[in-house]
Amino acid sequence: MKNTNKVLLLGTAGCFALSFISMAVNAAVDGPEFITAASLATIDPTDDSISRYIVRFKDGATVSVQNGVQTAVFSEQEAELFARKYKGKVIRHLSSVKSSVLELNPSQLKAMVSDPEVQFIEVDQKRYLFDLITPMAQSTPYGIAMVQANLVSDNNAANTPVCVIDTGYRLNHVDLPSSGVTGFAFSGHGTWSTDGSGHGTHVAGTMVALNNNDGVVGVLPSGQAGVHIVKIFNDSGNWTFASDLIDGIQSCQDAGAKVVNMSLGGGSSSQTEQTAMTNFYNSGMLLIAAAGNAGNTSLSYPASYDAVVSVAAVDSGRNLASFSQRNAQVELAGPGVAVNSTWNNGGYNSISGTSMASPHIAAVAALVWSNYPQCTAGQIRAALQVTAQDRGSTGRDNSFGFGIVQAKAAADYLAVNGCSGGGNTAPTGGETFQNLSATSGNWLRGSYSIPSGVNSLSFNIAGGSGDADLYVRYNSQPSTSQYDCRPYLDGNMEQCTISNPQAGTWHIGVRAYTTFSGLTFSYSYQ
């Protein structure tokens, strides 16, 4: 079928490039296990084994109208009725991504996969605590000086609450805050204020251990940082699910946290998890995760989603740890070998892993951000990248990313250059186009150029009827398989936000998943 193409906008050229990792927060990744009718064709009708799946629904009849714009909303009541129809067990609903988590046997799955209400079904991937490498003796946390945390005041730490998603927290540890700490524990895992593993208490200590003459000191040692704990693992610390992680970050957001640490991961990606991470990042949260301890070039998730900062580990000599994973998604490096921190027995322990490196970066992000609360998550992320201490090959590489994070260098950079990274006179611009329409399968296309020094670039579609999908790509027209950003949501309310975009030509495509009309498209940059 011949496409209907329409140029929507033009602009002016420029030249600027800061970071390719933070530039796109919706790029496709390999690995989701989608369930299709074809994949279930050979199912054993006698198989009654139960597994856990994420069911993403198409837009239903329930709508919300705000500022004259009508959008579909997720109805838990309708989702409950849907699950009941197939006798599936509901684990939880994920309203933010219009999905339900269900336990199903193969027969139920086979019947459900072709239901017209279903957009897709995927396996709810498992997420694990990364293994702890053999402990080594270490009396003090050398990493504090390595990341320059001792050179930046945390008197403003209350500006940037942090969240730790892990195995819990040893409340009333002499070296950890007790006031200003909140938490949430998943069902069956006990209380958030206990930690049978020690892993979560160790991670939290790296971030917020008190400067009180006892034991160790954290990156944020004043006790003023707000802390929210999500106990996502049980006391054995075995594994959890991607859907649990989405719910966990939602708990962080509901508690007001701006920086989230995830010292965990798994080898398979999830489309639902990726969408949720992108939504959280675009809503203003900074997500940090361990790159993984396999010592190879494989990807781990959530660290390898573009919306998440992937963290490698180095030793006290600033050399890459042998266990640290190396790949194109590694963004920053931090101390992760023989890190001494608080432990669940009320004492201390020295252990290693990218799990130990990740909280260094998360806490430094919060430390810097607390002193520049007017900046966005993307701006803080960019400042950490551009000021990192370069290691390995010149520039960004797959082992160290941009390098070892440096708190004072990042703070000084923002003091001189402002949040935009190019001084306080960043260019602004944008335009709105209304009443757009296209028939099913066809595209509206546009391209424009942006000048250098742009800090944030945003594309939006909203309103009207039907189902339009927004695609964005730098330097080339996007397609259904090639894009830098594609929210791929039901209905017409979609947004792509790119932090510190490269100067030059950005291309957009609005594709009619189904025929749409009355659509508004807008873009803006600053």
mmCIF file with all atom_site columns, all heavy atoms in Angstrom, residues 1-18:
data_model
loop_
_atom_site.group_PDB
_atom_site.id
_atom_site.type_symbol
_atom_site.label_atom_id
_atom_site.label_alt_id
_atom_site.label_comp_id
_atom_site.label_asym_id
_atom_site.label_entity_id
_atom_site.label_seq_id
_atom_site.pdbx_PDB_ins_code
_atom_site.Cartn_x
_atom_site.Cartn_y
_atom_site.Cartn_z
_atom_site.occupancy
_atom_site.B_iso_or_equiv
_atom_site.pdbx_formal_charge
_atom_site.auth_seq_id
_atom_site.auth_comp_id
_atom_site.auth_asym_id
_atom_site.auth_atom_id
_atom_site.pdbx_PDB_model_num
ATOM 1   N N   . MET A 1 1  ? 0.850  -1.182 0.000  1.00 0.00 ? 1  MET A N   1
ATOM 2   C CA  . MET A 1 1  ? 0.000  0.000  0.000  1.00 0.00 ? 1  MET A CA  1
ATOM 3   C C   . MET A 1 1  ? 0.885  1.231  0.000  1.00 0.00 ? 1  MET A C   1
ATOM 4   O O   . MET A 1 1  ? 1.862  1.327  0.720  1.00 0.00 ? 1  MET A O   1
ATOM 5   C CB  . MET A 1 1  ? -0.910 0.016  1.230  1.00 0.00 ? 1  MET A CB  1
ATOM 6   C CG  . MET A 1 1  ? -1.801 1.235  1.317  1.00 0.00 ? 1  MET A CG  1
ATOM 7   S SD  . MET A 1 1  ? -2.832 1.215  2.818  1.00 0.00 ? 1  MET A SD  1
ATOM 8   C CE  . MET A 1 1  ? -3.852 -0.209 2.438  1.00 0.00 ? 1  MET A CE  1
ATOM 9   N N   . LYS A 1 2  ? 0.516  2.219  -0.821 1.00 0.00 ? 2  LYS A N   1
ATOM 10  C CA  . LYS A 1 2  ? 1.283  3.443  -0.887 1.00 0.00 ? 2  LYS A CA  1
ATOM 11  C C   . LYS A 1 2  ? 1.108  4.247  0.385  1.00 0.00 ? 2  LYS A C   1
ATOM 12  O O   . LYS A 1 2  ? 0.004  4.482  0.834  1.00 0.00 ? 2  LYS A O   1
ATOM 13  C CB  . LYS A 1 2  ? 0.837  4.274  -2.098 1.00 0.00 ? 2  LYS A CB  1
ATOM 14  C CG  . LYS A 1 2  ? 1.649  5.551  -2.290 1.00 0.00 ? 2  LYS A CG  1
ATOM 15  C CD  . LYS A 1 2  ? 1.174  6.288  -3.523 1.00 0.00 ? 2  LYS A CD  1
ATOM 16  C CE  . LYS A 1 2  ? 1.955  7.573  -3.718 1.00 0.00 ? 2  LYS A CE  1
ATOM 17  N NZ  . LYS A 1 2  ? 1.507  8.313  -4.905 1.00 0.00 ? 2  LYS A NZ  1
ATOM 18  N N   . ASN A 1 3  ? 2.235  4.688  0.968  1.00 0.00 ? 3  ASN A N   1
ATOM 19  C CA  . ASN A 1 3  ? 2.169  5.486  2.180  1.00 0.00 ? 3  ASN A CA  1
ATOM 20  C C   . ASN A 1 3  ? 1.793  6.925  1.880  1.00 0.00 ? 3  ASN A C   1
ATOM 21  O O   . ASN A 1 3  ? 2.145  7.461  0.834  1.00 0.00 ? 3  ASN A O   1
ATOM 22  C CB  . ASN A 1 3  ? 3.515  5.484  2.907  1.00 0.00 ? 3  ASN A CB  1
ATOM 23  C CG  . ASN A 1 3  ? 3.781  4.172  3.595  1.00 0.00 ? 3  ASN A CG  1
ATOM 24  O OD1 . ASN A 1 3  ? 2.886  3.332  3.709  1.00 0.00 ? 3  ASN A OD1 1
ATOM 25  N ND2 . ASN A 1 3  ? 5.003  3.984  4.044  1.00 0.00 ? 3  ASN A ND2 1
ATOM 26  N N   . THR A 1 4  ? 1.079  7.556  2.788  1.00 0.00 ? 4  THR A N   1
ATOM 27  C CA  . THR A 1 4  ? 0.782  8.974  2.694  1.00 0.00 ? 4  THR A CA  1
ATOM 28  C C   . THR A 1 4  ? 1.785  9.710  3.570  1.00 0.00 ? 4  THR A C   1
ATOM 29  O O   . THR A 1 4  ? 1.748  9.621  4.776  1.00 0.00 ? 4  THR A O   1
ATOM 30  C CB  . THR A 1 4  ? -0.641 9.274  3.194  1.00 0.00 ? 4  THR A CB  1
ATOM 31  O OG1 . THR A 1 4  ? -1.551 8.523  2.401  1.00 0.00 ? 4  THR A OG1 1
ATOM 32  C CG2 . THR A 1 4  ? -0.957 10.753 3.071  1.00 0.00 ? 4  THR A CG2 1
ATOM 33  N N   . ASN A 1 5  ? 2.732  10.420 2.944  1.00 0.00 ? 5  ASN A N   1
ATOM 34  C CA  . ASN A 1 5  ? 3.784  11.105 3.680  1.00 0.00 ? 5  ASN A CA  1
ATOM 35  C C   . ASN A 1 5  ? 3.485  12.589 3.770  1.00 0.00 ? 5  ASN A C   1
ATOM 36  O O   . ASN A 1 5  ? 2.995  13.190 2.829  1.00 0.00 ? 5  ASN A O   1
ATOM 37  C CB  . ASN A 1 5  ? 5.141  10.908 2.998  1.00 0.00 ? 5  ASN A CB  1
ATOM 38  C CG  . ASN A 1 5  ? 5.542  9.455  2.969  1.00 0.00 ? 5  ASN A CG  1
ATOM 39  O OD1 . ASN A 1 5  ? 5.226  8.723  3.894  1.00 0.00 ? 5  ASN A OD1 1
ATOM 40  N ND2 . ASN A 1 5  ? 6.218  9.036  1.915  1.00 0.00 ? 5  ASN A ND2 1
ATOM 41  N N   . LYS A 1 6  ? 3.830  13.180 4.899  1.00 0.00 ? 6  LYS A N   1
ATOM 42  C CA  . LYS A 1 6  ? 3.575  14.601 5.099  1.00 0.00 ? 6  LYS A CA  1
ATOM 43  C C   . LYS A 1 6  ? 4.692  15.193 5.936  1.00 0.00 ? 6  LYS A C   1
ATOM 44  O O   . LYS A 1 6  ? 4.969  14.726 7.018  1.00 0.00 ? 6  LYS A O   1
ATOM 45  C CB  . LYS A 1 6  ? 2.231  14.806 5.800  1.00 0.00 ? 6  LYS A CB  1
ATOM 46  C CG  . LYS A 1 6  ? 1.873  16.275 6.015  1.00 0.00 ? 6  LYS A CG  1
ATOM 47  C CD  . LYS A 1 6  ? 0.497  16.381 6.642  1.00 0.00 ? 6  LYS A CD  1
ATOM 48  C CE  . LYS A 1 6  ? 0.106  17.829 6.866  1.00 0.00 ? 6  LYS A CE  1
ATOM 49  N NZ  . LYS A 1 6  ? -1.232 17.956 7.462  1.00 0.00 ? 6  LYS A NZ  1
ATOM 50  N N   . VAL A 1 7  ? 5.388  16.211 5.411  1.00 0.00 ? 7  VAL A N   1
ATOM 51  C CA  . VAL A 1 7  ? 6.424  16.889 6.173  1.00 0.00 ? 7  VAL A CA  1
ATOM 52  C C   . VAL A 1 7  ? 5.757  17.822 7.165  1.00 0.00 ? 7  VAL A C   1
ATOM 53  O O   . VAL A 1 7  ? 4.986  18.696 6.805  1.00 0.00 ? 7  VAL A O   1
ATOM 54  C CB  . VAL A 1 7  ? 7.365  17.688 5.245  1.00 0.00 ? 7  VAL A CB  1
ATOM 55  C CG1 . VAL A 1 7  ? 8.390  18.462 6.065  1.00 0.00 ? 7  VAL A CG1 1
ATOM 56  C CG2 . VAL A 1 7  ? 8.075  16.751 4.284  1.00 0.00 ? 7  VAL A CG2 1
ATOM 57  N N   . LEU A 1 8  ? 6.085  17.626 8.448  1.00 0.00 ? 8  LEU A N   1
ATOM 58  C CA  . LEU A 1 8  ? 5.422  18.394 9.488  1.00 0.00 ? 8  LEU A CA  1
ATOM 59  C C   . LEU A 1 8  ? 6.193  19.638 9.885  1.00 0.00 ? 8  LEU A C   1
ATOM 60  O O   . LEU A 1 8  ? 5.611  20.637 10.251 1.00 0.00 ? 8  LEU A O   1
ATOM 61  C CB  . LEU A 1 8  ? 5.220  17.526 10.725 1.00 0.00 ? 8  LEU A CB  1
ATOM 62  C CG  . LEU A 1 8  ? 4.287  16.320 10.555 1.00 0.00 ? 8  LEU A CG  1
ATOM 63  C CD1 . LEU A 1 8  ? 4.227  15.556 11.873 1.00 0.00 ? 8  LEU A CD1 1
ATOM 64  C CD2 . LEU A 1 8  ? 2.897  16.754 10.149 1.00 0.00 ? 8  LEU A CD2 1
ATOM 65  N N   . LEU A 1 9  ? 7.520  19.588 9.878  1.00 0.00 ? 9  LEU A N   1
ATOM 66  C CA  . LEU A 1 9  ? 8.263  20.718 10.395 1.00 0.00 ? 9  LEU A CA  1
ATOM 67  C C   . LEU A 1 9  ? 9.686  20.746 9.889  1.00 0.00 ? 9  LEU A C   1
ATOM 68  O O   . LEU A 1 9  ? 10.253 19.740 9.517  1.00 0.00 ? 9  LEU A O   1
ATOM 69  C CB  . LEU A 1 9  ? 8.298  20.702 11.923 1.00 0.00 ? 9  LEU A CB  1
ATOM 70  C CG  . LEU A 1 9  ? 8.500  19.371 12.612 1.00 0.00 ? 9  LEU A CG  1
ATOM 71  C CD1 . LEU A 1 9  ? 9.399  19.546 13.808 1.00 0.00 ? 9  LEU A CD1 1
ATOM 72  C CD2 . LEU A 1 9  ? 7.138  18.847 13.061 1.00 0.00 ? 9  LEU A CD2 1
ATOM 73  N N   . LEU A 1 10 ? 10.258 21.955 9.875  1.00 0.00 ? 10 LEU A N   1
ATOM 74  C CA  . LEU A 1 10 ? 11.634 22.179 9.487  1.00 0.00 ? 10 LEU A CA  1
ATOM 75  C C   . LEU A 1 10 ? 12.309 23.007 10.555 1.00 0.00 ? 10 LEU A C   1
ATOM 76  O O   . LEU A 1 10 ? 11.668 23.617 11.391 1.00 0.00 ? 10 LEU A O   1
ATOM 77  C CB  . LEU A 1 10 ? 11.700 22.905 8.133  1.00 0.00 ? 10 LEU A CB  1
ATOM 78  C CG  . LEU A 1 10 ? 11.100 22.148 6.940  1.00 0.00 ? 10 LEU A CG  1
ATOM 79  C CD1 . LEU A 1 10 ? 11.053 23.070 5.736  1.00 0.00 ? 10 LEU A CD1 1
ATOM 80  C CD2 . LEU A 1 10 ? 11.901 20.908 6.614  1.00 0.00 ? 10 LEU A CD2 1
ATOM 81  N N   . GLY A 1 11 ? 13.658 23.076 10.535 1.00 0.00 ? 11 GLY A N   1
ATOM 82  C CA  . GLY A 1 11 ? 14.340 23.868 11.548 1.00 0.00 ? 11 GLY A CA  1
ATOM 83  C C   . GLY A 1 11 ? 15.705 24.297 11.083 1.00 0.00 ? 11 GLY A C   1
ATOM 84  O O   . GLY A 1 11 ? 15.982 24.341 9.885  1.00 0.00 ? 11 GLY A O   1
ATOM 85  N N   . THR A 1 12 ? 16.588 24.615 12.029 1.00 0.00 ? 12 THR A N   1
ATOM 86  C CA  . THR A 1 12 ? 17.922 25.088 11.707 1.00 0.00 ? 12 THR A CA  1
ATOM 87  C C   . THR A 1 12 ? 18.954 24.118 12.205 1.00 0.00 ? 12 THR A C   1
ATOM 88  O O   . THR A 1 12 ? 18.759 23.412 13.182 1.00 0.00 ? 12 THR A O   1
ATOM 89  C CB  . THR A 1 12 ? 18.176 26.456 12.369 1.00 0.00 ? 12 THR A CB  1
ATOM 90  O OG1 . THR A 1 12 ? 17.979 26.314 13.764 1.00 0.00 ? 12 THR A OG1 1
ATOM 91  C CG2 . THR A 1 12 ? 17.223 27.490 11.816 1.00 0.00 ? 12 THR A CG2 1
ATOM 92  N N   . ALA A 1 13 ? 20.091 24.063 11.548 1.00 0.00 ? 13 ALA A N   1
ATOM 93  C CA  . ALA A 1 13 ? 21.125 23.088 11.859 1.00 0.00 ? 13 ALA A CA  1
ATOM 94  C C   . ALA A 1 13 ? 22.030 23.581 12.966 1.00 0.00 ? 13 ALA A C   1
ATOM 95  O O   . ALA A 1 13 ? 22.123 24.762 13.249 1.00 0.00 ? 13 ALA A O   1
ATOM 96  C CB  . ALA A 1 13 ? 21.956 22.789 10.607 1.00 0.00 ? 13 ALA A CB  1
ATOM 97  N N   . GLY A 1 14 ? 22.742 22.633 13.581 1.00 0.00 ? 14 GLY A N   1
ATOM 98  C CA  . GLY A 1 14 ? 23.713 22.974 14.604 1.00 0.00 ? 14 GLY A CA  1
ATOM 99  C C   . GLY A 1 14 ? 24.629 21.803 14.832 1.00 0.00 ? 14 GLY A C   1
ATOM 100 O O   . GLY A 1 14 ? 24.578 20.813 14.113 1.00 0.00 ? 14 GLY A O   1
ATOM 101 N N   . CYS A 1 15 ? 25.474 21.880 15.874 1.00 0.00 ? 15 CYS A N   1
ATOM 102 C CA  . CYS A 1 15 ? 26.410 20.800 16.143 1.00 0.00 ? 15 CYS A CA  1
ATOM 103 C C   . CYS A 1 15 ? 26.616 20.655 17.642 1.00 0.00 ? 15 CYS A C   1
ATOM 104 O O   . CYS A 1 15 ? 27.138 21.562 18.280 1.00 0.00 ? 15 CYS A O   1
ATOM 105 C CB  . CYS A 1 15 ? 27.747 21.080 15.452 1.00 0.00 ? 15 CYS A CB  1
ATOM 106 S SG  . CYS A 1 15 ? 28.967 19.784 15.703 1.00 0.00 ? 15 CYS A SG  1
ATOM 107 N N   . PHE A 1 16 ? 26.195 19.508 18.185 1.00 0.00 ? 16 PHE A N   1
ATOM 108 C CA  . PHE A 1 16 ? 26.394 19.260 19.619 1.00 0.00 ? 16 PHE A CA  1
ATOM 109 C C   . PHE A 1 16 ? 26.247 17.782 19.873 1.00 0.00 ? 16 PHE A C   1
ATOM 110 O O   . PHE A 1 16 ? 25.324 17.155 19.367 1.00 0.00 ? 16 PHE A O   1
ATOM 111 C CB  . PHE A 1 16 ? 25.360 20.023 20.455 1.00 0.00 ? 16 PHE A CB  1
ATOM 112 C CG  . PHE A 1 16 ? 25.448 19.734 21.929 1.00 0.00 ? 16 PHE A CG  1
ATOM 113 C CD1 . PHE A 1 16 ? 26.475 20.253 22.681 1.00 0.00 ? 16 PHE A CD1 1
ATOM 114 C CD2 . PHE A 1 16 ? 24.503 18.939 22.546 1.00 0.00 ? 16 PHE A CD2 1
ATOM 115 C CE1 . PHE A 1 16 ? 26.563 19.995 24.040 1.00 0.00 ? 16 PHE A CE1 1
ATOM 116 C CE2 . PHE A 1 16 ? 24.586 18.672 23.908 1.00 0.00 ? 16 PHE A CE2 1
ATOM 117 C CZ  . PHE A 1 16 ? 25.616 19.208 24.639 1.00 0.00 ? 16 PHE A CZ  1
ATOM 118 N N   . ALA A 1 17 ? 27.161 17.199 20.633 1.00 0.00 ? 17 ALA A N   1
ATOM 119 C CA  . ALA A 1 17 ? 27.036 15.791 21.019 1.00 0.00 ? 17 ALA A CA  1
ATOM 120 C C   . ALA A 1 17 ? 27.660 15.606 22.386 1.00 0.00 ? 17 ALA A C   1
ATOM 121 O O   . ALA A 1 17 ? 28.811 15.925 22.588 1.00 0.00 ? 17 ALA A O   1
ATOM 122 C CB  . ALA A 1 17 ? 27.738 14.895 19.995 1.00 0.00 ? 17 ALA A CB  1
ATOM 123 N N   . LEU A 1 18 ? 26.863 15.088 23.321 1.00 0.00 ? 18 LEU A N   1
ATOM 124 C CA  . LEU A 1 18 ? 27.372 14.859 24.670 1.00 0.00 ? 18 LEU A CA  1
ATOM 125 C C   . LEU A 1 18 ? 27.365 13.386 25.017 1.00 0.00 ? 18 LEU A C   1
ATOM 126 O O   . LEU A 1 18 ? 28.334 12.843 25.491 1.00 0.00 ? 18 LEU A O   1
ATOM 127 C CB  . LEU A 1 18 ? 26.549 15.650 25.693 1.00 0.00 ? 18 LEU A CB  1
ATOM 128 C CG  . LEU A 1 18 ? 26.933 15.446 27.154 1.00 0.00 ? 18 LEU A CG  1
ATOM 129 C CD1 . LEU A 1 18 ? 28.376 15.901 27.363 1.00 0.00 ? 18 LEU A CD1 1
ATOM 130 C CD2 . LEU A 1 18 ? 26.006 16.234 28.056 1.00 0.00 ? 18 LEU A CD2 1
#
